[in-house]
Amino acid sequence: MTRRGLAGLAVLAVLVVVWPQVIGSGQLFFWDTAAIAVLFATSVNLLFGSGGIPSFGQAAFYGVGAYTVAKVAGHAWPVPAALVLAVLVGGVVAFATSLITWRTTGLAFAMLTLAIAQALYTLVEKVNWLGGYNGLPGISAPSLWGVNFFNQANLWYLNAVWVALGLLAFWRIRRSPFGHTLNAIRQDPQRAAFLGVNVRAYRAVAFTLAGCGAGLAGGLFAYTNQIVSPASLYWTESATPIIMLLLGGMTYFWGPAVGAVLLSALLNYLDQVTTSYLFYIGILLLAVLLLLPQGVLSIPAVAQGLLHRNRDGPGGGGRRRRHTLAMGLAAEPGDPAPAPLVPEPTDRASTP
Amino acid sequence: MIILATGLTDGMLIFLVASGLTLVLGVMRVVNFSHGGFFMVGAYLAYELLRGHVQPIWLFVLLIVVASGATAVVGLVSERVLFRRLYRLPEVSSLLGTYALLLILEGGAQLIWGQNPVTQPEPSGLVHAFTVAGAEVPRYDILIVVAGVLTAAVLQLLLKRTEFGRQLTAVAEDRYMAGLLGVNVNRVFAATFALGIFLAGLGGALAGPTLSMVPDIAVTFILQAFAVVIIGGFGSIGGSLIAALALGLLHSFLASDAPSLADFSLYILMAAVLVVRPQGLLGSRQLLGENL
């Protein structure tokens, strides 16, 4: 990691520590959920951004993790054990799902994951042991080493630590040979297969790892929200992290995190001013897809591209523009420049 | 008997929604999440035209067709404004684009009609039930079944017997080649989309009296339609008819004999079919993405 990156992380860490004092405990619940959304969206981005795996059923693993923690919290399991179990259960369910979807890709895969997740939702809604339609209320994190998690600030630190651990894991995965191979598979599955990569197995492993991350996020959500309901598994919940990672930019590691904070804040705001936030979220999603397909983190690169075009005068500099954008994407040394998801994004981004 | 009638009716409603979805998917290769949104728009537009009152049958049918046509116009506009731009994007982005449209339609309905449920009564003459073999069957079901059968027949004729149908099949098979051979692909796309959305609107308008309308029906109905499309085979209208009827019948059969399983009928049927035929009942492997 670069020195600038490390400095940024240090600032972030200090912010996390002082945050409860800065904003007061009344607002902490919002920031808890935003932090959890950061982890969830980052886990989903292993599929979309790295592997090009369009899963529309990630809420299932999120919900499964949440229910796992809800169940064992009743038996006063210590927090780390409960969360590790949530990770494992999320991973196992995701792995089972990946076996069912083994042979499908693209749209068929998207539809199948959606259907499987929805089947789990229906199942959870019916099982009395899981509280049925009403879900499981009254979840709390038992004290650990004398730290009481009824305290909002302590709960925030608990979330921060586990979200940080999750992010670190996904950072490592993205930079590992495994992550690079996933990138190769996204860019050209056929070529990757010719080079001897077992494409289906790699996709299944990525799917399982993303399921683990979703399970952890769901587990943290159970502690934070204190009640878990089948709504966490509903299919529209699977779409939320996807909107987040698009908003932030799926080619960047921090894209989903930025998108998660932005969308959480926006939802929080819209909730206060309108009864119909869906309408505005839909408009936002369309605008991002059509005007800024690389997300808000690509704004500097796109702006740079625009500047170059203007200097070259109208009609000129098309090639240079694209070149600049590629440079902008690879701004972080050592990070392999991810291929733009959409060919020639600047063309659309710069059209008024 | 009542089981049969309910199953048939439910199946026909799902078929109306799924046929439009599978048509758009087969020809344009776009999974259209917003289809459920247009279903809802059709239901609300019919409600607006009928003013929530009991109407004579002829007026009811006429206004339902008008509402479906109006829905198709909204669809056509969105095809021009939005879908044209989505074709160029990768599959996943176009999927999310249609999801965005679903959110906009649902949110728009919330803004216009609010969250409180509204109801549309059946047309006069079809309000009550009639008795067949000791079972009470709602008369309105007849209208739905007739509409479903008519739609299936008209679609079949349209696709197999007309010039438009041949062009549509050609574009679905290979849009590039069809374009080279002089088919106006853009026009076929627009017409297909309008037809698909008309069917969605018709399904919604017809379903109106059977449910209490909330904007949320946009997301609940689309999943059944998706399942039917998967079971029947991507792009196959005959397949979706069979799948929709099978789903309706299985659901109503389970609802009477094993209620706890009824909500799973969708997944039971899907699992059973996909294990034997991954491409769906009447689907081709080409669209499944069976290659890597």
Side-chain angles (χ1 to χ4, degrees):
Chain A
M1 196 184 286
T2 60
R3 188 173 295 174
R4 249 178 66 194
L6 278 177
L9 271 189
V11 171
L12 192 63
V14 171
L15 267 181
V16 164
V17 172
V18 300
W19 208 234
Q21 274 72 48
V22 174
I23 57 156
S25 60
Q27 284 290 311
L28 266 184
F29 178 77
F30 163 73
W31 287 99
D32 281 323
T33 52
I36 293 166
V38 164
L39 175 59
F40 189 23
T42 303
S43 79
V44 178
N45 200 38
L46 181 68
L47 301 178
F48 280 80
S50 293
I53 305 164
S55 168
F56 267 73
Q58 292 306 109
F61 317 121
Y62 182 79
V64 161
Y67 270 93
T68 305
V69 163
K71 269 326 253 191
V72 300
H75 301 287
W77 275 41
V79 171
L83 288 175
V84 168
L85 189 68
V87 170
L88 291 178
V89 174
V92 167
V93 178
F95 180 67
T97 306
S98 76
L99 292 184
I100 301 174
T101 57
W102 188 257
R103 279 153 40 117
T104 54
T105 56
L107 293 180
F109 177 84
M111 293 299 97
L112 211 52
T113 47
L114 176 62
I116 292 168
Q118 203 57 16
L120 272 174
Y121 163 78
T122 315
L123 185 69
V124 166
E125 211 185 37
K126 293 271 177 261
V127 178
N128 282 333
W129 184 66
L130 296 174
Y133 184 77
N134 295 319
L136 297 170
I139 306 155
S140 60
S143 300
L144 184 70
W145 302 314
V147 180
N148 169 11
F149 292 113
F150 283 111
N151 180 318
Q152 288 294 317
N154 287 345
L155 186 64
W156 161 254
Y157 292 130
L158 174 82
N159 280 322
V161 167
W162 284 89
V163 167
L165 283 176
L167 290 183
L168 180 67
F170 281 107
W171 169 266
R172 295 291 307 168
I173 293 169
R174 197 181 160 100
R175 291 304 189 85
S176 70
F178 174 80
H180 291 309
T181 313
L182 270 188
N183 258 326
I185 291 174
R186 184 195 72 235
Q187 287 170 16
D188 193 339
Q190 206 163 26
R191 184 177 291 181
F194 285 158
L195 290 171
V197 176
N198 188 340
V199 171
R200 283 173 183 168
Y202 266 83
R203 282 185 176 140
V205 173
F207 198 76
T208 307
L209 289 171
C212 290
L216 177 59
L220 290 171
F221 177 72
Y223 282 139
T224 305
N225 202 41
Q226 299 183 342
I227 175 170
V228 174
S229 75
S232 320
L233 282 87
Y234 198 62
W235 71 276
T236 46
E237 287 298 306
S238 297
T240 310
I242 301 173
I243 300 176
M244 289 170 174
L245 64 91
L246 272 172
L247 181 61
M250 66 167 100
T251 50
Y252 308 90
F253 177 80
W254 292 105
V258 171
V261 174
L262 285 179
L263 189 68
S264 299
L266 188 65
L267 282 175
N268 196 32
Y269 170 71
L270 286 177
D271 214 26
Q272 292 160 13
V273 296
T274 168
T275 51
S276 164
Y277 62 89
L278 290 178
F279 183 73
Y280 303 99
I281 297 298
I283 302 247
L284 174 77
L285 178 57
L286 265 192
V288 171
L289 275 173
L290 295 175
L291 303 177
L292 204 61
Q294 309 284 317
V296 290
L297 284 189
S298 71
I299 288 177
V302 171
Q304 209 178 359
L306 282 176
L307 281 179
H308 274 263
R309 186 178 63 164
N310 289 345
R311 201 179 58 192
D312 290 344
R319 177 170 295 181
R320 177 178 302 211
R321 218 175 347 136
R322 208 168 309 160
H323 174 70
T324 321
L325 185 87
M327 296 294 287
L329 283 175
E332 200 176 348
D335 201 342
L341 182 75
V342 183
E344 306 173 29
T346 42
D347 283 345
R348 213 164 297 118
S350 58
T351 332
Chain B
M1 186 61 207
I2 180 79
I3 297 174
L4 209 65
T6 324
L8 210 59
T9 314
D10 287 354
M12 279 302 179
L13 266 187
I14 302 171
F15 164 70
L16 283 175
V17 183
S19 60
L21 192 62
T22 205
L23 200 65
V24 169
L25 176 61
V27 174
M28 295 157 76
R29 308 283 154 94
V30 175
V31 171
N32 185 12
F33 270 113
S34 64
H35 204 75
F38 288 111
F39 170 87
M40 176 209 63
V41 169
Y44 271 107
L45 284 181
Y47 166 78
E48 279 296 316
L49 287 174
L50 295 161
R51 293 159 188 276
H53 295 319
V54 177
Q55 308 281 6
I57 297 180
W58 65 270
L59 191 61
F60 183 85
V61 172
L62 180 72
L63 289 181
I64 269 189
V65 173
V66 171
S68 317
T71 315
V73 171
V74 179
L76 206 55
V77 171
S78 70
E79 202 268 348
R80 284 279 161 154
V81 175
L82 172 63
F83 282 76
R84 283 283 157 85
R85 294 164 212 274
L86 293 181
Y87 301 141
R88 284 183 288 155
L89 302 184
E91 273 181 351
V92 176
S93 301
S94 70
L95 197 68
L96 289 164
T98 69
Y99 182 74
L101 184 57
L102 172 71
L103 294 181
I104 292 173
L105 288 175
E106 192 185 342
Q110 284 175 349
L111 287 175
I112 298 171
W113 289 289
Q115 284 283 24
N116 293 330
V118 296
T119 48
Q120 166 63 44
E122 290 93 345
S124 63
L126 295 181
V127 176
H128 300 293
F130 67 99
T131 319
V132 184
E136 294 216 323
V137 178
R139 293 191 181 191
Y140 186 68
D141 286 7
I142 305 174
L143 187 64
I144 293 180
V145 173
V146 168
V149 172
L150 264 180
T151 305
V154 168
L155 274 181
Q156 208 60 26
L157 280 179
L158 190 69
L159 292 183
K160 299 282 190 250
R161 292 270 183 274
T162 64
E163 179 60 28
F164 170 68
R166 273 190 288 275
Q167 290 190 355
L168 188 148
T169 316
V171 172
E173 203 65 42
D174 188 338
R175 67 175 70 158
Y176 179 70
M177 198 62 203
L180 286 184
L181 292 174
V183 176
N184 187 338
V185 176
N186 274 343
R187 217 156 67 196
V188 171
F189 271 15
T192 308
F193 196 75
L195 180 60
I197 298 309
F198 179 85
L199 292 172
L202 186 63
L206 270 175
T210 68
L211 37 87
S212 73
M213 273 176 253
V214 284
D216 223 28
I217 57 175
V219 295
T220 44
F221 252 79
I222 189 72
L223 285 178
Q224 286 188 333
F226 269 139
V228 163
V229 167
I230 295 176
I231 296 167
F234 282 12
S236 162
I237 294 199
S240 63
L241 178 61
I242 299 170
L245 291 181
L247 180 61
L249 290 173
L250 181 67
H251 185 272
S252 88
F253 173 72
L254 286 177
S256 78
D257 287 353
S260 56
L261 280 179
D263 284 350
F264 293 99
S265 42
L266 201 76
Y267 311 109
I268 297 171
L269 197 65
M270 205 154 105
V273 170
L274 291 187
V275 166
V276 186
R277 277 180 74 83
Q279 70 272 43
L281 289 173
L282 299 179
S284 69
R285 272 176 181 267
Q286 191 196 354
L287 262 171
L288 185 68
E290 182 75 9
N291 52 342
L292 279 170

